Amino acid sequence: MGFIWTGLILVANLAHLPPLQDPTGRPLPTGYHLQYPWMYLLFAPVFSTWDALSMLSMSRLRWVGVWALVAVLCAVAALLISRRRGGARGWPIALGLGVPIFLVVGALWRARPIARLTGGPVDEVLVDFHSHTNASHDVRGWPVSGFDVAANRRWHARAGFGAAFITDHNISTSLPADDGRADLPILCPGREASIEGLHVILLGEADWVGAVARADSLVSLMRSLRPDSILAIASLPEYSLHAWDRLGWLMASGVTGFEVVNASPKANEFPRVRRDSVLALTRRTRGFVVGVSDMHGWGATSMVWNAVTVPQIGRTRLCRDIIGVLARGAPSTSRIVERARLRSDDWWPEWLAPIGAVWMTWRTASIPLVVSWIGWTWLLVSLRAHRR
Ligand SMILES: [Zn+2]
């Protein structure tokens, strides 16, 4: 068994895929790489599997849930059989308990060791344009309700971000004054507005009370905001679901940016053929594209970063400088860095999602991660042989 498992890991890794890419097709600067904490490397099979599952789309995650249920049912069956016949079979019970616990811990352990993006050019700052705190209705009242502004900032720091926009649903969360801590990112103001079936990310500060009071449509909302200080980005999956044939109208309304990568499971369904259509549209119209975490506190993995070239990386003007760079619409000053993963439109059948996700982990793994996977394989094989 050890030889088969080792062979599979090595074969997958021989068909190596770069772990990072820019969805626009531009080559990434060579320095960018994922940095792993020592605990991640030591227990790579556990942490990299959590990462792979956290980057799945909703349709594939449902199949992970189905297999977890199968594991629980197997455990119950094994318990019933062992009661009737005597002699417990330990492994199905361990599997039935272990799989759901593994999934729940991976989803809720916010501070678990994660991969951090590092090594880019010194004039590029890593930015997240869309993230939430427990001021949002879909964080408050859930098991992740402790994800407040400070927790959001710590998570962005662990993932390597230098700036993060807080975009709670239909409110402007008050942000603390900058404390000057260089080890934590700058927090920037924004909000996620729900209007006409769409979710629009509004970056910057504005007279929200007046704007929202006057807005009964996207057009009137955008008119009431000063376009030189606010930047509007259409969020996934809503524009793909509800405005796919009206992208020109969206841009005419004042929305100049589009998310083409969003790490939330529902938005992660976005197929590459649609992504490429949006890229073509924004190239023609001097719009811009971004990749966002849409972090709500679930699943600690960071899947995507934006690297923005700012004139000067100073703390006081950073948020405004980032908005200014995107508003000018120069594609060379902003890039998306996303992690390779099992995508919704990959050839793997949906019901094989857990195996496909681990296979992609092996294909994109660095040598230290491969060594950790093979090391654990042989440790478990030798422990099993010893017990016999
Ligand atoms: Zn959101």
Side-chain angles (χ1 to χ4, degrees), residues 130 132 167 169 192 201 294 296:
H130 179 172
H132 295 270
T167 53
H169 292 283
E192 179 169 1
I201 303 301
D294 202 356
H296 284 71

Side-chain angles (χ1 to χ4, degrees), residues 130-132 136 138 167-169 192 199 201 235-236 259 262 264 294-296:
H130 179 172
S131 71
H132 295 270
S136 284
D138 49 1
T167 53
D168 282 311
H169 292 283
E192 179 169 1
H199 285 201
I201 303 301
S235 181
L236 285 171
E259 293 178 358
N262 177 316
S264 73
D294 202 356
M295 184 57 161
H296 284 71

Side-chain angles (χ1 to χ4, degrees), residues 193-262:
S194 311
I195 195 154
E196 294 192 72
L198 297 169
H199 285 201
V200 179
I201 303 301
L202 300 165
L203 306 180
E205 286 183 278
D207 168 21
W208 295 114
V209 177
V212 172
R214 286 191 295 273
D216 55 1
S217 68
L218 179 62
V219 174
S220 62
L221 174 66
M222 293 308 298
R223 267 194 205 135
S224 61
L225 295 166
R226 277 180 40 228
D228 56 333
S229 60
I230 289 291
L231 210 56
I233 301 172
S235 181
L236 285 171
E238 287 79 12
Y239 81 79
S240 176
L241 294 174
H242 306 307
W244 184 247
D245 52 356
R246 294 184 293 149
L247 298 188
W249 163 80
L250 257 180
M251 294 197 83
S253 307
V255 174
T256 49
F258 291 87
E259 293 178 358
V260 289
V261 186
N262 177 316

Side-chain angles (χ1 to χ4, degrees), residues 353-370:
I355 296 172
V358 172
W359 184 259
M360 278 299 284
T361 299
W362 293 343
R363 282 194 72 184
T364 56
S366 60
I367 290 173
L369 292 176
V370 172

Side-chain angles (χ1 to χ4, degrees), residues 47 91 111 114 162 210-211 227 229 241 265 276 283 319 348 367 374 382:
F47 288 111
W91 69 265
I114 56 169
S229 60
L241 294 174
D276 293 343
R283 264 186 218 117
C319 301
W348 280 86
I367 290 173
I374 293 177
S382 55

